[in-house]
């Protein structure tokens, strides 16, 4: 029993070391993609399915221990890289407002699971890892007005929240969703498996692919000229 428990913690240590290398690589990939666009900065968000670890005001030493933790928190609350959004902001491109982000979806096993009583805290209800996927999702909205009405929304489902929209897309077998409205707004979401970013050459192929989709559907050239040659 002792040896078995020892081996479990060897796996834990290896898992964290692997996650460190993995997360550093994801940051490099996302940063590289952003650098091929007019966007100059990025911000993070995970307000989809989990709580961010916030600050707590009544700490006896607010400079030393200021994070709010509870015994009923989910394990995922501590693992930001499971589902995370890198938001690039808004730019003016070809006289249109363009908003973009990239979602890091490290495991879609929950979303594609067919179990009736699946839950994010019950990993046994997930689709097996071998049959699941890891994605970077490119999310782009192009709109002529000051406010985008199609950001993570579908006019066919007006009562859906942003997380409802995202859940439906992640649960779908489709890798692309393009939504339009009568105001001339277009939103594009495209799933790319993370294996496609294994080298700069393959990442450039993804950028060219998404650049083509964006240009065909919105008329804008999102990336540097070299990706359209």
């Amino acid at each position: 029993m002792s040896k078995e428990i020892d081996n479990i913690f060897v796996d834990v240590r290896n898992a964290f070391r692997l996650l460190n290398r993995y997360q550093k690589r994801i940051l490099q990939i996302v940063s590289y993609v952003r650098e091929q666009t007019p966007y100059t900065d990025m911000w993070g968000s995970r307000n989809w399915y989990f709580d961010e670890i916030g600050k707590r005001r009544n700490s006896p030493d607010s400079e030393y221990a200021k994070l709010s933790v509870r015994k009923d928190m989910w394990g995922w609350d501590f693992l930001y890289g499971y589902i995370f959004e890198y938001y690039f902001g808004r730019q003016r491109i070809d006289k249109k407002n363009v908003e973009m982000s990239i979602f890091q979806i490290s495991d879609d096993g929950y979303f594609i699971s067919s179990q009736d009583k699946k839950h994010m805290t019950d990993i046994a209800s997930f689709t097996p890892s071998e049959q699941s996927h890891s994605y970077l999702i490119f999310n782009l909205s192009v709109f002529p007005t000051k406010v985008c009405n199609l950001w993570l929304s579908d006019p066919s489902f007006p009562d859906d929240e942003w997380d409802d929209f995202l859940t439906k897309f992640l649960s779908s077998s489709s890798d692309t969703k393009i939504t339009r409205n009568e105001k001339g707004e277009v939103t594009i979401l495209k799933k790319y498996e993370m294996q496609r970013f294994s080298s700069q050459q393959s990442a450039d192929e993804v950028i060219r692919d998404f650049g083509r989709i964006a240009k065909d559907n919105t008329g804008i050239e999102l990336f540097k000229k070299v990706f359209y040659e």
Side-chain angles (χ1 to χ4, degrees), residues 184-226:
E185 301 178 15
V186 183
T187 288
I188 303 169
L189 281 91
K190 174 73 174 179
K191 299 174 185 173
Y192 292 102
E193 290 199 78
M194 289 188 185
Q195 295 93 312
R196 297 191 63 178
F197 299 89
S198 59
S199 67
Q200 181 177 329
Q201 180 179 355
S202 58
D204 286 348
E205 291 174 0
V206 170
I207 292 172
R208 288 190 181 92
D209 181 68
F210 191 73
R212 175 189 56 79
I213 295 171
K215 186 172 183 178
D216 289 348
N217 287 277
T218 69
I220 70 162
E221 290 192 355
L222 176 65
F223 300 106
K224 293 178 179 178
K225 291 291 185 182
V226 66

Coordinates of all heavy atoms in Angstrom, one line a residue, residues 184-226:
G184 N -24.9 43.5 -40.3 CA -23.6 43.3 -41.0 C -22.5 42.8 -40.0 O -21.3 42.8 -40.4
E185 N -22.9 42.3 -38.9 CA -21.9 41.7 -38.0 C -21.7 40.2 -38.3 O -22.6 39.5 -38.7 CB -22.4 41.8 -36.5 CG -22.7 43.2 -36.1 CD -23.3 43.2 -34.7 OE1 -23.2 42.2 -33.9 OE2 -23.8 44.3 -34.3
V186 N -20.4 39.8 -38.1 CA -20.1 38.4 -38.3 C -19.2 37.9 -37.2 O -18.3 38.6 -36.8 CB -19.3 38.2 -39.7 CG1 -19.0 36.8 -39.9 CG2 -20.0 38.8 -40.8
T187 N -19.5 36.8 -36.7 CA -18.7 36.1 -35.6 C -18.2 34.8 -36.1 O -19.0 34.0 -36.7 CB -19.4 36.0 -34.3 OG1 -19.6 37.3 -33.7 CG2 -18.6 35.1 -33.3
I188 N -16.9 34.5 -36.0 CA -16.4 33.2 -36.4 C -15.7 32.5 -35.3 O -14.8 33.2 -34.6 CB -15.3 33.4 -37.5 CG1 -16.0 34.2 -38.7 CG2 -14.8 32.1 -38.0 CD1 -15.0 34.7 -39.7
L189 N -16.0 31.3 -35.0 CA -15.2 30.5 -34.1 C -14.7 29.2 -34.8 O -15.4 28.6 -35.6 CB -16.1 30.0 -32.9 CG -16.3 31.0 -31.8 CD1 -17.6 31.8 -32.1 CD2 -16.5 30.3 -30.4
K190 N -13.5 28.9 -34.6 CA -12.8 27.8 -35.3 C -12.0 27.0 -34.3 O -11.1 27.6 -33.6 CB -12.0 28.3 -36.4 CG -11.2 27.3 -37.2 CD -12.0 26.4 -38.0 CE -11.1 25.4 -38.9 NZ -11.9 24.5 -39.7
K191 N -12.2 25.7 -34.2 CA -11.4 24.8 -33.3 C -10.2 24.3 -34.1 O -10.3 23.9 -35.3 CB -12.2 23.6 -32.9 CG -13.5 23.8 -32.1 CD -14.2 22.5 -31.9 CE -15.6 22.7 -31.3 NZ -16.4 21.4 -31.2
Y192 N -9.0 24.4 -33.4 CA -7.8 23.8 -34.0 C -7.2 22.9 -32.9 O -6.9 23.4 -31.8 CB -6.8 24.9 -34.4 CG -7.2 25.7 -35.6 CD1 -7.8 27.0 -35.4 CD2 -7.1 25.3 -36.9 CE1 -8.1 27.8 -36.5 CE2 -7.5 26.0 -37.9 CZ -8.0 27.3 -37.7 OH -8.4 28.1 -38.8
E193 N -7.0 21.7 -33.3 CA -6.4 20.8 -32.3 C -5.0 21.3 -32.0 O -4.2 21.7 -32.9 CB -6.4 19.3 -32.8 CG -7.8 18.7 -32.8 CD -7.7 17.2 -32.9 OE1 -7.5 16.6 -31.8 OE2 -7.9 16.7 -34.0
M194 N -4.6 21.1 -30.7 CA -3.3 21.7 -30.3 C -2.1 21.0 -31.0 O -1.0 21.6 -31.1 CB -3.1 21.6 -28.8 CG -4.1 22.6 -28.1 SD -3.7 22.6 -26.3 CE -5.1 23.6 -25.7
Q195 N -2.3 19.8 -31.5 CA -1.2 19.2 -32.2 C -0.8 20.0 -33.4 O 0.3 19.8 -33.9 CB -1.6 17.8 -32.7 CG -1.9 16.8 -31.5 CD -3.4 16.8 -31.1 OE1 -4.0 17.8 -30.9 NE2 -3.9 15.6 -31.0
R196 N -1.7 20.8 -33.9 CA -1.4 21.6 -35.1 C -0.5 22.8 -34.9 O -0.1 23.4 -35.8 CB -2.7 22.1 -35.8 CG -3.6 21.0 -36.2 CD -4.8 21.5 -37.1 NE -4.3 22.1 -38.3 CZ -5.2 22.6 -39.2 NH1 -6.5 22.5 -39.0 NH2 -4.7 23.2 -40.3
F197 N -0.1 23.0 -33.6 CA 0.8 24.1 -33.3 C 2.2 23.5 -32.8 O 2.9 24.1 -32.1 CB 0.2 24.9 -32.2 CG -1.1 25.6 -32.6 CD1 -2.3 24.9 -32.4 CD2 -1.1 26.8 -33.1 CE1 -3.5 25.5 -32.7 CE2 -2.3 27.5 -33.5 CZ -3.5 26.8 -33.3
S198 N 2.5 22.3 -33.3 CA 3.7 21.6 -32.9 C 5.0 22.3 -33.4 O 6.1 22.1 -32.8 CB 3.7 20.2 -33.3 OG 3.6 20.1 -34.7
S199 N 4.9 23.1 -34.4 CA 6.1 23.9 -34.9 C 5.6 25.2 -35.4 O 4.4 25.4 -35.6 CB 6.7 23.1 -36.0 OG 5.9 23.0 -37.2
Q200 N 6.5 26.1 -35.7 CA 6.1 27.4 -36.2 C 5.5 27.2 -37.6 O 4.6 27.9 -38.0 CB 7.4 28.3 -36.3 CG 7.0 29.7 -36.9 CD 8.2 30.7 -36.9 OE1 9.1 30.6 -36.1 NE2 8.2 31.6 -37.9
Q201 N 6.1 26.3 -38.4 CA 5.5 26.1 -39.7 C 4.1 25.6 -39.7 O 3.2 26.2 -40.5 CB 6.4 25.0 -40.5 CG 5.9 24.7 -41.9 CD 6.7 23.7 -42.6 OE1 7.7 23.2 -42.1 NE2 6.3 23.3 -43.8
S202 N 3.8 24.7 -38.8 CA 2.4 24.2 -38.7 C 1.5 25.3 -38.1 O 0.3 25.4 -38.5 CB 2.3 22.9 -37.9 OG 2.9 23.1 -36.6
A203 N 2.0 26.1 -37.2 CA 1.2 27.2 -36.6 C 0.9 28.2 -37.7 O -0.2 28.8 -37.8 CB 2.0 27.9 -35.5
D204 N 1.9 28.5 -38.6 CA 1.7 29.4 -39.7 C 0.6 28.9 -40.6 O -0.2 29.7 -41.2 CB 3.0 29.6 -40.5 CG 4.0 30.5 -39.7 OD1 3.6 31.1 -38.7 OD2 5.1 30.6 -40.2
E205 N 0.5 27.6 -40.8 CA -0.5 27.0 -41.6 C -1.9 27.3 -41.0 O -2.9 27.6 -41.7 CB -0.3 25.5 -41.8 CG 0.9 25.2 -42.6 CD 1.2 23.7 -42.7 OE1 0.5 22.9 -42.0 OE2 2.2 23.3 -43.3
V206 N -2.0 27.2 -39.7 CA -3.3 27.5 -39.0 C -3.6 28.9 -39.2 O -4.8 29.3 -39.5 CB -3.2 27.1 -37.5 CG1 -4.4 27.7 -36.8 CG2 -3.1 25.6 -37.3
I207 N -2.6 29.8 -39.0 CA -2.9 31.3 -39.2 C -3.4 31.6 -40.6 O -4.3 32.3 -40.8 CB -1.6 32.1 -38.9 CG1 -1.3 31.9 -37.4 CG2 -1.8 33.5 -39.3 CD1 0.0 32.5 -37.0
R208 N -2.8 31.0 -41.6 CA -3.2 31.2 -43.0 C -4.6 30.7 -43.2 O -5.4 31.3 -43.9 CB -2.3 30.4 -44.0 CG -0.9 31.1 -44.1 CD -0.1 30.5 -45.3 NE 1.2 31.1 -45.4 CZ 2.3 30.7 -44.8 NH1 2.2 29.6 -44.0 NH2 3.4 31.3 -44.9
D209 N -4.9 29.5 -42.6 CA -6.3 28.9 -42.7 C -7.3 29.9 -42.1 O -8.3 30.2 -42.7 CB -6.3 27.6 -42.0 CG -7.7 26.9 -42.2 OD1 -8.1 26.6 -43.3 OD2 -8.4 26.8 -41.1
F210 N -7.1 30.3 -40.9 CA -8.0 31.2 -40.2 C -8.1 32.6 -40.9 O -9.2 33.2 -41.0 CB -7.7 31.4 -38.7 CG -8.8 32.1 -38.0 CD1 -10.0 31.4 -37.7 CD2 -8.7 33.4 -37.6 CE1 -11.0 32.0 -37.0 CE2 -9.7 34.0 -36.9 CZ -10.9 33.3 -36.6
G211 N -7.0 33.0 -41.4 CA -6.9 34.3 -42.1 C -7.8 34.2 -43.4 O -8.5 35.2 -43.7
R212 N -7.7 33.1 -44.1 CA -8.6 32.9 -45.2 C -10.1 32.9 -44.9 O -10.9 33.5 -45.6 CB -8.2 31.6 -45.9 CG -9.1 31.2 -47.1 CD -8.8 29.8 -47.6 NE -8.9 28.8 -46.6 CZ -10.1 28.3 -46.1 NH1 -11.2 28.8 -46.7 NH2 -10.1 27.4 -45.2
I213 N -10.4 32.1 -43.8 CA -11.8 32.1 -43.4 C -12.3 33.5 -43.0 O -13.4 33.9 -43.4 CB -12.0 31.1 -42.2 CG1 -11.6 29.7 -42.6 CG2 -13.4 31.2 -41.6 CD1 -11.5 28.7 -41.5
A214 N -11.5 34.2 -42.3 CA -11.9 35.6 -41.9 C -12.1 36.5 -43.1 O -13.0 37.2 -43.2 CB -10.9 36.2 -40.9
K215 N -11.1 36.4 -44.0 CA -11.2 37.3 -45.2 C -12.4 36.9 -46.1 O -13.2 37.8 -46.6 CB -10.0 37.2 -46.0 CG -9.9 38.2 -47.2 CD -8.6 38.2 -47.9 CE -8.5 39.3 -49.0 NZ -7.2 39.4 -49.6
D216 N -12.7 35.6 -46.3 CA -13.8 35.2 -47.1 C -15.1 35.6 -46.5 O -16.1 35.9 -47.3 CB -13.8 33.6 -47.3 CG -12.6 33.2 -48.2 OD1 -12.0 34.0 -48.8 OD2 -12.4 31.9 -48.2
N217 N -15.2 35.7 -45.2 CA -16.5 35.9 -44.6 C -16.7 37.4 -44.1 O -17.8 37.8 -43.8 CB -16.7 35.0 -43.4 CG -17.0 33.6 -43.8 OD1 -18.1 33.2 -44.1 ND2 -16.0 32.7 -43.9
T218 N -15.6 38.1 -44.0 CA -15.7 39.5 -43.5 C -15.0 40.5 -44.4 O -15.3 41.7 -44.2 CB -15.1 39.6 -42.1 OG1 -13.7 39.5 -42.2 CG2 -15.7 38.6 -41.1
G219 N -14.2 40.1 -45.2 CA -13.4 41.0 -46.1 C -12.2 41.6 -45.5 O -11.4 42.3 -46.2
I220 N -11.9 41.3 -44.2 CA -10.7 41.9 -43.6 C -9.5 41.0 -43.7 O -9.7 39.7 -43.8 CB -11.0 42.2 -42.1 CG1 -11.1 40.9 -41.3 CG2 -12.2 43.1 -41.9 CD1 -10.9 41.1 -39.8
E221 N -8.3 41.6 -43.7 CA -7.1 40.8 -43.6 C -6.6 41.0 -42.1 O -6.1 42.0 -41.8 CB -6.1 41.3 -44.6 CG -6.4 40.9 -46.0 CD -5.3 41.1 -47.0 OE1 -4.2 41.7 -46.6 OE2 -5.5 40.8 -48.2
L222 N -6.8 39.9 -41.4 CA -6.5 40.0 -39.9 C -5.0 39.9 -39.6 O -4.6 40.5 -38.7 CB -7.3 38.8 -39.2 CG -7.1 38.6 -37.7 CD1 -7.6 39.8 -37.0 CD2 -7.7 37.3 -37.3
F223 N -4.3 39.2 -40.4 CA -2.9 38.9 -40.1 C -2.0 39.7 -41.0 O -2.5 40.4 -42.0 CB -2.6 37.4 -40.2 CG -3.4 36.6 -39.3 CD1 -4.5 35.8 -39.8 CD2 -3.2 36.5 -37.9 CE1 -5.3 35.0 -38.9 CE2 -3.9 35.8 -37.1 CZ -5.0 35.0 -37.5
K224 N -0.7 39.6 -40.8 CA 0.3 40.3 -41.6 C 0.2 39.8 -43.1 O -0.3 38.7 -43.4 CB 1.7 40.0 -41.1 CG 1.9 40.6 -39.7 CD 3.3 40.3 -39.2 CE 3.6 40.9 -37.8 NZ 4.9 40.5 -37.3
K225 N 0.6 40.7 -44.0 CA 0.5 40.5 -45.4 C 1.1 39.1 -45.8 O 0.6 38.5 -46.8 CB 1.1 41.6 -46.2 CG 0.4 42.9 -46.1 CD -0.9 42.9 -46.8 CE -1.6 44.3 -46.8 NZ -2.9 44.2 -47.4
V226 N 2.2 38.7 -45.2 CA 2.9 37.5 -45.6 C 2.0 36.3 -45.6 O 2.2 35.3 -46.3 CB 4.1 37.3 -44.7 CG1 3.7 37.0 -43.3 CG2 5.0 36.2 -45.3

